[in-house]
């Protein structure tokens, strides 16, 4: 039995949240760019939860922007799919299973563009959501015609112009537009690109005025680990228990956050925010950005090489080790919290750090350190260097855990180039691939035999860090000492800092 609207009446699974028939009669209020698991596991999850409680009462039309794959699975299952959420909250395991009914249909931007433009003319439409990856929010100078535009901003502009024309530019016809791409000020950047593209296409002044003044582009931040489909063995087990086939089912952690920059008007449109504390609508999301960037991403980055060199492949494996746990607690509570370059209530930061460590312990999420290490040097620059500089500003002393994190990073980046062009490192006789745009540089630096010279060259490289880290009193020597111990005895001698 396949999961579908007609088969819902035959599904009887204890604890599984099943949509009622009235859900399928709700109007289409949301146009969503992207079929990916993050959107299905976060915004669509919140909308479905609200609909089941009689709040928001609107469904989602999804635009499939790429030519790869098909939407046949959505068609066969009437847009339905199961979300399995598992995690740890306050030290206890929690889980949830729900059949998400937020999606009404999936349309292809390539083959069904006119149908998409019809949605733009609907009086029910209120919201546009996107996740087109960071590359999606870029200006592509293109002519907006009756054909499908190439870029996401081009498609969005065409949709908004169609709507403007259909409603004669009425003030009430404007939309709330929320990009979820992981770039700072994503709403502002998308708005600027769409407006510039409108000028390049010589659209009428009245339309551009409507575009700027009657549509709301919101900065937003999403935070939820949604790995996607369950692993093969788990998938078979789940299917056996539930009694139906679901080719769209996804796994996620229980933690969720969607911080949206907006006012009371935005909040009234996004009424689904009322049903889950994970949706936060606030005039300024900088607090949430800093907490996520520093405590979640920063601690991940600082711990990555320490964990991997210790022989741990996944975050959960590392969190089960007492010495590593002592290290990451020191990173988060003793160094990062006080170093966040933004005024934050210490208790809020501590509570967030506790949730982060709970998420790292989640036994149901397989998060590999090698995946976290992708573009390692850029992540250190963006996520950690501001913390390091602020720590020195406040204390003028060496943060011991950060120094170890940098030393482990430098050891991790001891790489050589293979004949196929990839760069690899080696630890305990095992080879690993390093994916970083600076691998060539690190390969050359490591040709030196003197660790003092290696550390000095790396820390003083202002192209890497936008600053000279050797100017921080005692930091270079601490990194050198750690690296020497690392090379002689291995990481296990260092993790209990």
């Amino acid at each position: 039995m396949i999961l579908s609207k007609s088969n819902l009446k035959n599904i009887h699974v204890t604890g599984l949240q099943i949509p009622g028939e009235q859900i399928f009669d709700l109007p289409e209020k949301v146009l969503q760019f992207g079929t990916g698991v993050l959107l299905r596991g976060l915004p669509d999850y919140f909308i479905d939860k609200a609909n089941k409680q009689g709040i928001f009462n609107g469904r989602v039309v999804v635009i499939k922007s790429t030519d790869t794959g098909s939407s046949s699975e959505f068609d066969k299952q009437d847009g339905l799919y199961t979300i399995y959420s598992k995690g740890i909250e306050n030290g206890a395991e929690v889980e949830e299973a729900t059949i998400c009914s937020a999606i009404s249909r999936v349309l292809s931007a390539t083959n069904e563009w006119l149908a998409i433009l019809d949605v733009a003319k609907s009086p029910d439409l209120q919201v546009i959501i996107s996740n087109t990856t960071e590359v999606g929010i870029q200006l592509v100078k293109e002519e907006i015609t009756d054909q499908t535009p190439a870029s996401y901003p081009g498609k969005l502009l065409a949709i908004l112009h169609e709507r403007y024309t259909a409603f004669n530019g009425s003030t009430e016809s404007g939309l709330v537009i929320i990009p979820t791409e992981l770039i700072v000020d994503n709403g502002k950047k998308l708005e600027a690109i769409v407006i510039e593209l409108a000028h390049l296409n010589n659209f009428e002044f009245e339309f551009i005025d409507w575009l700027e003044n009657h549509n709301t582009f919101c900065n937003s931040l999403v935070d939820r680990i949604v790995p996607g489909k369950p692993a093969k063995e788990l998938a078979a087990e789940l299917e056996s228990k539930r009694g139906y086939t679901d080719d769209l089912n996804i796994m996620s952690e229980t933690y969720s956050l969607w911080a949206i920059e907006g006012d009371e008007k935005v909040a009234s449109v996004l009424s689904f925010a009322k049903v889950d504390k994970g949706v936060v609508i606030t005039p300024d999301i900088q607090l949430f950005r800093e907490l996520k960037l520093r405590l979640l991403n920063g601690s991940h980055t600082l711990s990555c090489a320490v964990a991997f060199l210790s022989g741990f492949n996944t975050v959960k494996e590392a969190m089960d080790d007492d010495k590593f746990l002592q290290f990451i607690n020191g990173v988060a509570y003793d160094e990062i919290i006080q170093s966040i370059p933004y005024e934050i209530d210490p208790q809020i930061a501590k509570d967030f750090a506790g949730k982060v460590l709970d998420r790292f312990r989640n036994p149901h999420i397989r998060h590999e350190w090698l995946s976290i290490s992708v573009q390692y040097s850029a992540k250190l620059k963006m996520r950690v260097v501001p913390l390091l500089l602020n720590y020195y500003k406040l204390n003028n002393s060496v943060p011991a855990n950060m120094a170890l994190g940098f030393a482990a990073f430098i050891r991790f980046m001891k790489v050589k180039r293979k004949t196929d062009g990839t760069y690899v490192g080696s630890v305990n006789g095992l080879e690993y691939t390093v994916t970083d745009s600076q691998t060539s540089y690190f390969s050359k630096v490591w040709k030196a035999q003197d660790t003092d010279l290696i550390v000095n060259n790396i820390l003083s490289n202002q192209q890497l860090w936008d600053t000279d880290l050797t100017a921080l009193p005692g930091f270079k020597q601490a990194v050198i000492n750690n690296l020497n111990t690392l090379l002689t005895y291995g990481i296990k001698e260092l993790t209990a800092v």
Side-chain angles (χ1 to χ4, degrees):
M1 179 177 68
I2 192 171
L3 176 61
S4 66
K5 177 182 175 182
S6 61
N7 283 329
L8 286 176
K9 61 181 180 294
N10 300 317
I11 298 173
H12 307 286
V13 181
T14 302
L16 176 65
Q17 299 175 33
I18 302 174
E21 291 186 6
Q22 72 279 5
I23 295 288
F24 298 94
D25 296 324
L26 295 177
E28 296 173 331
K29 290 186 178 182
V30 181
L31 191 59
Q32 174 177 299
F33 282 83
T35 60
V37 294
L38 177 63
L39 289 178
R40 292 199 286 126
L42 194 67
D44 297 345
Y45 165 81
F46 291 134
I47 290 169
D48 175 70
K49 186 175 182 178
N51 288 341
K52 286 172 179 170
Q53 296 182 32
I55 299 171
F56 186 67
N57 296 319
R59 300 185 79 203
V60 181
V61 179
V62 176
I63 298 175
K64 185 178 181 300
S65 297
T66 62
D67 293 329
T68 57
S70 72
S71 60
S72 61
E73 290 175 333
F74 290 93
D75 297 337
K76 285 188 295 186
Q77 297 187 188
D78 300 313
L80 299 172
Y81 59 95
T82 315
I83 303 175
Y84 296 98
S85 305
K86 296 187 176 185
I88 295 177
E89 294 180 6
N90 301 317
E93 287 199 28
V94 292
E95 62 180 83
E96 179 187 65
T98 184
I99 294 178
C100 184
S101 54
I103 295 175
S104 61
R105 52 185 170 144
V106 177
L107 300 174
S108 166
T110 303
N111 302 317
E112 298 173 289
W113 184 240
L114 292 180
I116 292 169
L117 293 181
D118 282 339
V119 177
K121 294 183 283 188
S122 169
D124 296 319
L125 186 63
Q126 297 180 349
V127 182
I128 293 180
I129 303 170
S130 69
N131 193 301
T132 58
T133 76
E134 294 84 333
V135 178
I137 300 185
Q138 290 189 13
L139 175 64
V140 176
K141 296 180 180 180
E142 58 181 324
E143 187 177 349
I144 305 301
T145 65
D146 293 336
Q147 303 301 312
T148 308
S151 68
Y152 165 53
K155 293 181 179 74
L156 179 57
L157 177 60
I159 286 169
L160 292 173
H161 190 262
E162 189 76 15
R163 186 169 183 82
Y164 167 83
T165 303
F167 292 95
N168 297 312
S170 69
T171 58
E172 298 81 12
S173 61
L175 302 174
V176 175
I177 300 158
I178 318 170
T180 65
E181 289 80 357
L182 295 176
I183 57 176
V184 176
D185 292 333
N186 45 21
K188 292 179 181 178
K189 290 181 179 178
L190 178 60
E191 180 180 21
I193 291 170
V194 170
I195 291 172
E196 183 175 355
L197 193 55
H199 282 289
L200 290 172
N201 277 268
N202 296 313
F203 280 130
E204 60 269 43
F205 169 79
E206 292 79 7
F207 165 67
I208 296 177
D209 180 71
W210 175 86
L211 180 62
E212 292 188 69
N213 296 309
H214 301 299
N215 294 272
T216 306
F217 289 76
C218 302
N219 295 327
S220 85
L221 174 73
V222 289
D223 187 9
R224 193 179 209 186
I225 300 172
V226 187
K229 288 187 176 183
K232 190 174 181 180
E233 291 184 2
L234 177 58
E237 178 185 338
L238 292 172
E239 183 171 334
S240 175
K241 288 181 179 179
R242 70 192 179 215
Y244 61 84
T245 300
D246 181 358
D247 292 330
L248 295 170
N249 62 163
I250 57 175
M251 300 290 298
S252 80
E253 63 174 341
T254 50
Y255 177 86
S256 61
L257 172 66
W258 191 13
I260 302 167
E261 211 162 75
D263 54 17
E264 292 182 1
K265 181 180 178 182
V266 169
S268 67
V269 173
L270 308 180
S271 57
F272 53 78
K274 299 175 183 177
V275 304
D276 197 297
K277 62 182 180 181
V279 188
V280 180
I281 301 172
T282 177
D284 184 4
I285 64 170
Q286 183 67 19
L287 167 65
F288 298 96
R289 181 183 296 119
E290 285 295 326
L291 285 171
K292 177 180 184 291
L293 183 64
R294 309 306 176 189
L295 278 168
L296 176 70
N297 302 132
S299 59
H300 252 167
T301 301
L302 271 169
S303 304
C304 181
V306 173
F308 186 78
L309 296 176
S310 298
F312 304 120
N313 292 318
T314 68
V315 175
K316 175 61 169 62
E317 289 174 7
M319 293 298 293
D320 288 338
D321 181 82
D322 289 340
K323 292 180 75 174
F324 177 83
L325 190 58
Q326 183 179 345
F327 168 75
I328 199 170
N329 277 330
V331 165
Y333 290 105
D334 299 337
E335 295 177 1
I336 291 182
I337 283 178
Q338 66 169 293
S339 306
I340 296 174
Y342 185 83
E343 189 173 339
I344 294 175
D345 183 321
Q347 190 57 50
I348 291 176
K350 288 179 182 178
D351 290 345
F352 190 88
K355 291 177 182 177
V356 165
L357 296 179
D358 274 348
R359 295 170 71 187
F360 289 176
R361 294 186 186 95
N362 190 344
H364 307 289
I365 302 296
R366 182 177 175 82
H367 208 174
E368 297 186 351
W369 288 112
L370 274 182
S371 297
I372 295 169
S373 75
V374 172
Q375 298 301 341
Y376 204 158
S377 57
K379 289 175 179 176
L380 268 180
K381 174 184 176 180
M382 181 176 71
R383 301 171 177 179
V384 177
V385 168
L387 293 170
L388 176 61
L389 297 178
N390 210 38
Y391 186 94
Y392 264 91
K393 182 179 178 181
L394 297 170
N395 302 286
N396 198 34
S397 61
V398 178
N401 294 290
M402 290 189 192
L404 174 54
F406 265 86
F409 159 74
I410 292 172
R411 168 62 184 87
F412 179 86
M413 298 299 289
K414 184 180 180 181
V415 295
K416 60 182 180 180
R417 190 176 188 272
K418 297 183 70 175
T419 54
D420 62 1
T422 59
Y423 285 85
V424 297
S426 177
V427 61
N428 299 325
L430 298 175
E431 196 174 81
Y432 56 90
T433 301
V434 176
T435 306
D436 191 296
S437 58
Q438 300 294 332
T439 46
S440 176
Y441 165 75
F442 283 97
S443 176
K444 293 174 183 175
V445 169
W446 267 103
K447 289 180 179 178
Q449 300 298 313
D450 185 346
T451 53
D452 289 35
L453 182 60
I454 292 168
V455 172
N456 185 76
N457 286 341
I458 292 172
L459 295 185
S460 65
N461 188 331
Q462 296 193 43
Q463 287 186 324
L464 277 180
W465 318 117
D466 283 343
T467 188
D468 182 355
L469 298 181
T470 64
L472 301 175
F475 187 69
K476 181 178 76 171
Q477 192 57 50
V479 174
I480 290 171
N481 293 343
N482 281 325
L483 183 58
N484 282 330
T485 304
L486 250 174
L487 293 170
T488 305
Y489 302 106
I491 192 72
K492 292 289 187 179
E493 296 297 319
L494 291 168
T495 46
V497 175

